[in-house]
Amino acid sequence: MQIVKLPKENLDKFMGGLSKFGEIHAPIKKDENTYLFSKIEDLSKIELNYNRTILPPKKYFLPPNETMFRFSPEKGYEPPQDNLNKKYVLLGVHSCDIHGLKILDLVFSGTYVDNYYFTRRKNTSIIGVSCIPDDMCFCRSMETDFVEDGFDLFLSDIDDSYLVRIATSLGDDMVRANQSLFKEVDKEDIAEYKRKSNERKNYFKIDLELYNLPEIMDLEYESKIWEEIGEKCLSCGTCSMVCPTCYCYDVFDQLNLDGKTGERRRQWDSCLFKDYALVAGGLNFRSERSARVKNRYFHKQRGFVAQYGRPSCVGCGRCIQSCPAKIDIVEVMTKIRSASYE
Ligand code: SF4
Ligand code: SF4
């Protein structure tokens, strides 16, 4: 992998030059300690020093709701009007969120490849940026605090410059198009990068033990802990919506008043919603809140491991920050582990 250096005084010029590669979206500050990925019209609004955005980058590839196709007796099925082929540059993506996208790639490339998702993936370049963990981050425990691929460029802060890793030919094009803004890295830069990387480890306050966790979850399947959490859970689904790796969606047809034309839509769904497991005949096989909470945790830390060899949690801390009932995934997992030792 090629590595170059971007002095911070050249950052604005570089970001400005990115618009020829697509519409730029990046984190902006919404309120105190609240950030979101947004279309950038004013480069000065970009906030590269942020903890986490409200919604992860998945919103660009699996939008909260979208038209899959339109239908009518005259024209049959028509593709959606929204521009799937538009080019985007997603700037300022954290390592954990890049891992989140890599997990979604696994899911959407399964038996039925999701062309909506992958067309957007193909048309969106990813520029990652390093971050300093806060007291809700546990990406280090989930081994997502560093990323080796899944981006075009990755910017690591080394004080007065960014050390820039180039991972793809598109990333290389981006650097070449702005060649005069970049410099070669020297020994001091590498030393500073290593020093910063080591220093960063000290900021992590949460250490979630993953060893044997799938087995422990199996052993604690009937634990009373699930009922305790079910008592607190409001079934609001926020934890799923903000999660970079939750991907459930509902598909439905929206018919126009003529009764003939309409569109097929999909929108995010959540396994925490009361009716998520409601099937024909009125049976709801997860009608209890405790069963739904348990299902989410089992899927993330048990089922996904069995299917894909890794948990589907990247330790971003969004569900901890957003849960109105203050249910904390790390506390839950820690309790489950403790219970298995009793
Ligand atoms: S955010 Fe909290 S309260 Fe809402 S569904 Fe998730 S665990 Fe339950
Ligand atoms: S489960 Fe929570 S901490 Fe893990 S990836 Fe999803 S939102 Fe982030």
Side-chain angles (χ1 to χ4, degrees):
M1 185 178 294
Q2 201 192 339
I3 302 174
V4 290
K5 182 168 78 168
L6 176 67
K8 283 189 179 166
E9 68 215 33
N10 293 344
L11 180 64
D12 280 356
K13 273 192 189 159
F14 171 62
M15 293 193 298
L18 289 174
S19 56
K20 69 175 77 139
F21 294 92
E23 186 174 286
I24 302 171
H25 287 243
I28 59 167
K29 191 169 192 166
K30 183 169 178 276
D31 296 312
E32 194 55 37
N33 213 25
T34 310
Y35 302 89
L36 47 89
F37 276 104
S38 180
K39 180 180 171 184
I40 299 299
E41 271 149 8
D42 174 357
L43 291 176
S44 70
K45 300 272 188 233
I46 295 178
E47 186 60 75
L48 291 184
N49 292 315
Y50 70 102
N51 50 10
R52 63 183 64 75
T53 50
I54 302 170
L55 289 180
K58 80 172 175 187
K59 70 177 183 176
Y60 290 104
F61 309 101
L62 180 68
N65 56 68
E66 68 174 322
T67 299
M68 302 179 84
F69 55 80
R70 294 188 169 78
F71 53 85
S72 66
E74 294 78 28
K75 295 182 182 166
Y77 300 108
E78 288 181 289
Q81 299 302 307
D82 70 334
N83 199 345
L84 273 178
N85 288 308
K86 190 168 171 180
K87 298 274 183 197
Y88 292 94
V89 176
L90 203 49
L91 170 67
V93 186
H94 286 166
S95 167
C96 63
D97 279 341
I98 294 174
H99 279 280
L101 291 174
K102 289 172 64 164
I103 286 172
L104 293 184
D105 290 348
L106 289 175
V107 173
F108 288 120
S109 61
T111 312
Y112 301 102
V113 175
D114 190 313
N115 282 323
Y116 300 91
Y117 174 86
F118 279 109
T119 303
R120 294 186 178 108
R121 280 290 268 149
K122 185 167 63 77
N123 288 318
T124 305
S125 48
I126 304 283
I127 302 183
V129 69
S130 61
C131 53
I132 297 295
D134 70 4
D135 55 7
M136 293 178 204
C137 295
F138 58 103
C139 54
R140 190 164 164 74
S141 303
M142 304 312 294
E143 298 179 352
T144 60
D145 57 323
F146 181 81
V147 67
E148 289 173 2
D149 56 14
F151 55 85
D152 297 290
L153 297 175
F154 197 98
L155 279 54
S156 296
D157 191 330
I158 52 167
D159 283 340
D160 58 354
S161 298
Y162 287 102
L163 191 135
V164 181
R165 287 184 281 150
I166 306 171
T168 63
S169 57
L170 178 59
D172 195 45
D173 290 346
M174 289 172 167
V175 170
R176 281 173 194 274
N178 299 279
Q179 195 78 54
S180 62
L181 304 177
F182 290 86
K183 293 187 173 172
E184 286 186 11
V185 286
D186 55 29
K187 276 186 186 165
E188 283 76 37
D189 299 324
I190 300 291
E192 182 60 10
Y193 174 75
K194 286 188 195 164
R195 192 191 68 73
K196 285 245 173 203
S197 300
N198 279 325
E199 185 185 72
R200 182 170 177 253
K201 291 178 196 164
N202 301 325
Y203 289 105
F204 286 99
K205 304 216 170 49
I206 302 174
D207 183 17
L208 177 64
E209 171 68 70
L210 286 191
Y211 175 71
N212 245 11
L213 191 53
E215 184 189 11
I216 285 172
M217 294 194 72
D218 281 346
L219 294 172
E220 294 306 319
Y221 192 79
E222 301 297 345
S223 170
K224 285 206 163 49
I225 290 169
W226 302 116
E227 278 164 40
E228 287 166 23
I229 303 164
E231 284 293 312
K232 286 171 73 182
C233 176
L234 305 171
S235 296
C236 66
T238 304
C239 48
S240 310
M241 303 299 157
V242 301
C243 179
T245 64
C246 277
Y247 50 81
C248 287
Y249 57 81
D250 195 12
V251 176
F252 56 94
D253 287 346
Q254 201 167 292
L255 210 56
N256 295 326
L257 284 177
D258 61 14
K260 295 177 189 167
T261 62
E263 55 188 46
R264 178 157 297 178
R265 298 185 61 76
R266 69 172 168 184
Q267 69 182 26
W268 288 356
D269 201 354
S270 168
C271 58
L272 278 307
F273 288 159
K274 190 175 174 222
D275 292 342
Y276 182 84
L278 184 66
V279 293
L283 174 69
N284 188 336
F285 54 89
R286 281 196 290 273
S287 59
E288 304 292 322
R289 279 178 294 164
S290 56
R292 298 197 291 276
V293 171
K294 178 159 73 173
N295 171 67
R296 180 166 192 267
Y297 286 121
F298 264 77
H299 174 69
K300 295 239 161 261
Q301 306 283 3
R302 176 70 185 97
F304 209 86
V305 178
Q307 192 170 0
Y308 294 105
R310 58 144 303 142
S312 74
C313 170
V314 295
C316 70
R318 284 187 179 89
C319 58
I320 302 173
Q321 180 166 300
S322 306
C323 176
K326 307 227 174 307
I327 294 170
D328 178 328
I329 185 170
V330 176
E331 281 177 20
V332 174
M333 290 300 108
T334 307
K335 263 189 176 181
I336 289 291
R337 179 176 294 282
S338 303
S340 76
Y341 296 146
E342 284 167 4

